[in-house]
Amino acid sequence: MSHVLTTKQFTKADAERILARAKDMELQCSTGTVDKLLKDKIVACIFFEPSTRTRLSFETAALRLGAQVISAEDAAGNSSAYKGETIKDTARILSCYADAIVMRHYLPGAAEALASAASKPVVNAGDGAHEHPSQGLLDLYTIKKEHGRLENLTVAFVGDLKNSRTLHSLLPLMVQYPGNIFYFVSPKELRVAPEQLADLTAKGVKFIESENLDEVLPKADVLYMTRVQKERFENEADYDKVKDAFLLVKSDLDQMKPDAIIMHPLPRINEVDHAIDTDKRAAYFRQAQNGLYVRMALLLYVFGL
Ligand code: NCD
């Protein structure tokens, strides 16, 4: 039994095994012949924060593999957490019913707390601004599929780099590949945390911080847009100041490489104009679809299958 709590738990070889498995899942889905390897398993999905893609793709992944799903989709208001039950007690209870637990929570470290008390494997589906490992892996899968490689790429992250848990999970995976250069484009208030930057410097990773999207557009092989994470702000005024910091519009595409890809974990609010959707470089819907295959691979991984 293995948990999935952070992408830092994966070596390059581990991550590549998961990507290879996801590719197999994609093939099996496309031919309608998915091996029901999780027959007789029950997967619990308990979400203390809103979700569309993550929860529904995990549930679809479980169902496609023959598992059954029990789901608490508004656990903050509707589970016993509302009455004050601790995460650890929730872990003990879910372990009595389900064979694996997929949890999203607003507190950083919640998935680790759950795993420490659960007797079943736990998948972190996002814990506050900390990590979102299944998203990091599906992003890695998307970059590999779109570009055919994971090294020698210029990757520009744009937006709320302080609070984006998807950045926090993708970056540790991407820095394992040689020759990658990272641009971090954000307003001052939403910069990557200084300790994360220090860690990159210590590892010899090449990165450049910027507040200017225009100077980065012509360089990016991967343009990774992020939503300003409203729910992490202490007050509305601070959010209002930065909420519309970077919006990618159709005319920006002229400055971009013809084979660049535009990614976004979604939901988009005011970061990517809808007029861009029909451009072949807009990869965000393909990215969301890849989430299904990667989550199928991750469920197999936690069961040791
Ligand atoms: C992301 C998340 O929840 O962190 N969404 C997702 O899972 N695809 C990104 C976001 O909410 O901005």
Coordinates of all heavy atoms in Angstrom, one line a residue, residues 1-5 44 95 98-102 114-115 118-124 298-299 301-304:
M1 N 0.8 -1.2 0.0 CA 0.0 0.0 0.0 C 0.9 1.3 0.0 O 1.8 1.4 0.8 CB -0.9 0.0 1.3 CG -1.3 1.3 1.8 SD -2.4 1.1 3.2 CE -1.6 2.4 4.3
S2 N 0.6 2.2 -0.9 CA 1.3 3.5 -1.0 C 0.4 4.6 -0.9 O -0.7 4.6 -1.6 CB 2.1 3.6 -2.2 OG 2.8 2.4 -2.5
H3 N 0.8 5.7 -0.2 CA 0.0 6.9 -0.3 C 0.5 7.8 -1.4 O 1.7 7.6 -1.9 CB 0.1 7.7 1.0 CG -0.3 7.0 2.2 ND1 -1.5 6.5 2.4 CD2 0.5 6.6 3.3 CE1 -1.6 5.9 3.6 NE2 -0.4 5.9 4.2
V4 N -0.3 8.7 -1.9 CA 0.2 9.8 -2.8 C -0.1 11.1 -2.1 O -1.2 11.6 -2.0 CB -0.5 9.8 -4.1 CG1 -0.1 10.9 -5.0 CG2 -0.2 8.4 -4.9
L5 N 1.0 11.7 -1.5 CA 0.8 12.9 -0.6 C 1.5 14.1 -1.2 O 1.0 15.2 -1.1 CB 1.4 12.6 0.8 CG 0.8 11.4 1.5 CD1 1.4 11.2 2.9 CD2 -0.8 11.6 1.6
A44 N -13.2 5.9 -1.6 CA -13.9 7.0 -1.0 C -13.3 8.3 -1.5 O -12.1 8.5 -1.5 CB -13.8 6.9 0.5
S95 N -11.4 4.3 6.7 CA -10.6 3.1 6.6 C -11.5 1.8 6.9 O -11.1 0.7 6.4 CB -9.4 3.1 7.5 OG -8.5 4.1 7.2
A98 N -13.8 1.9 3.1 CA -13.3 2.0 1.8 C -11.9 1.4 1.7 O -11.2 1.2 2.7 CB -13.2 3.5 1.3
D99 N -11.5 1.0 0.5 CA -10.1 0.4 0.3 C -9.1 1.5 0.0 O -7.9 1.2 0.0 CB -10.2 -0.6 -0.9 CG -11.2 -1.7 -0.5 OD1 -11.0 -2.4 0.4 OD2 -12.3 -1.8 -1.2
A100 N -9.5 2.7 -0.4 CA -8.6 3.8 -0.7 C -9.4 5.1 -0.4 O -10.6 5.1 -0.6 CB -8.1 3.8 -2.1
I101 N -8.7 6.1 0.0 CA -9.3 7.4 0.3 C -8.7 8.5 -0.5 O -7.5 8.7 -0.5 CB -9.2 7.8 1.8 CG1 -9.6 6.6 2.7 CG2 -9.9 9.0 2.1 CD1 -9.2 6.7 4.1
V102 N -9.5 9.2 -1.3 CA -9.0 10.4 -2.0 C -9.6 11.6 -1.3 O -10.8 11.7 -1.1 CB -9.6 10.4 -3.5 CG1 -9.1 11.6 -4.2 CG2 -9.1 9.1 -4.2
L114 N -4.2 12.7 7.6 CA -5.2 11.6 7.3 C -4.4 10.3 7.1 O -4.8 9.3 7.7 CB -5.9 11.9 6.0 CG -7.1 11.0 5.7 CD1 -8.4 11.5 6.4 CD2 -7.4 10.9 4.2
A115 N -3.3 10.4 6.3 CA -2.5 9.1 6.1 C -1.9 8.5 7.3 O -1.8 7.3 7.5 CB -1.4 9.4 5.0
A118 N -4.8 6.6 8.8 CA -5.6 5.7 8.0 C -4.9 4.3 7.8 O -3.7 4.3 7.8 CB -5.8 6.3 6.6
S119 N -5.7 3.3 7.8 CA -5.1 2.0 7.5 C -5.2 1.6 6.0 O -4.9 0.5 5.6 CB -5.7 0.9 8.4 OG -7.1 0.9 8.1
K120 N -5.7 2.6 5.2 CA -5.9 2.4 3.8 C -5.1 3.5 3.0 O -4.8 4.5 3.6 CB -7.4 2.5 3.4 CG -8.2 1.4 4.1 CD -7.9 0.0 3.6 CE -8.5 -1.1 4.5 NZ -10.0 -1.0 4.6
P121 N -4.7 3.3 1.8 CA -4.0 4.3 1.1 C -4.8 5.6 0.9 O -6.0 5.6 0.7 CB -3.7 3.6 -0.3 CG -4.5 2.4 -0.4 CD -4.9 2.0 1.0
V122 N -4.0 6.7 1.0 CA -4.6 8.0 0.9 C -4.0 8.7 -0.3 O -2.8 8.7 -0.6 CB -4.3 8.8 2.2 CG1 -4.6 10.3 2.0 CG2 -5.0 8.3 3.3
V123 N -4.9 9.4 -1.1 CA -4.4 10.2 -2.2 C -4.8 11.7 -1.9 O -5.9 12.0 -1.6 CB -5.1 9.8 -3.5 CG1 -4.6 10.7 -4.7 CG2 -4.8 8.4 -3.9
N124 N -3.8 12.5 -1.9 CA -4.0 13.9 -1.7 C -4.5 14.6 -2.9 O -3.9 14.7 -3.9 CB -2.6 14.6 -1.3 CG -2.7 16.1 -1.1 OD1 -3.8 16.6 -1.0 ND2 -1.6 16.7 -0.9
L298 N -2.7 6.3 -11.0 CA -2.4 6.6 -9.6 C -3.2 5.7 -8.7 O -2.7 5.2 -7.6 CB -2.7 8.0 -9.2 CG -1.6 9.0 -9.6 CD1 -2.1 10.4 -9.3 CD2 -0.3 8.7 -8.8
L299 N -4.5 5.4 -9.0 CA -5.2 4.4 -8.2 C -4.6 3.0 -8.2 O -4.5 2.4 -7.2 CB -6.7 4.4 -8.7 CG -7.6 5.6 -8.4 CD1 -9.0 5.5 -9.0 CD2 -7.6 5.9 -6.9
Y301 N -1.5 2.5 -8.7 CA -0.2 2.7 -7.9 C -0.5 2.5 -6.4 O 0.2 1.8 -5.8 CB 0.4 4.1 -8.2 CG 1.5 4.5 -7.3 CD1 2.8 4.0 -7.6 CD2 1.2 5.2 -6.2 CE1 3.8 4.4 -6.7 CE2 2.3 5.6 -5.3 CZ 3.6 5.2 -5.6 OH 4.6 5.5 -4.7
V302 N -1.5 3.1 -5.9 CA -1.8 3.0 -4.4 C -2.1 1.6 -4.0 O -1.9 1.2 -2.9 CB -2.8 4.1 -3.9 CG1 -2.3 5.5 -4.1 CG2 -4.2 3.8 -4.4
F303 N -2.7 0.9 -4.9 CA -3.1 -0.5 -4.6 C -1.9 -1.5 -4.9 O -2.1 -2.7 -4.7 CB -4.3 -0.9 -5.4 CG -5.6 -0.4 -4.8 CD1 -6.4 0.5 -5.6 CD2 -6.0 -0.7 -3.5 CE1 -7.6 1.1 -5.0 CE2 -7.2 -0.2 -3.0 CZ -8.0 0.7 -3.8
G304 N -0.8 -0.9 -5.4 CA 0.3 -1.8 -5.7 C 0.1 -2.7 -6.9 O 0.7 -3.7 -7.0

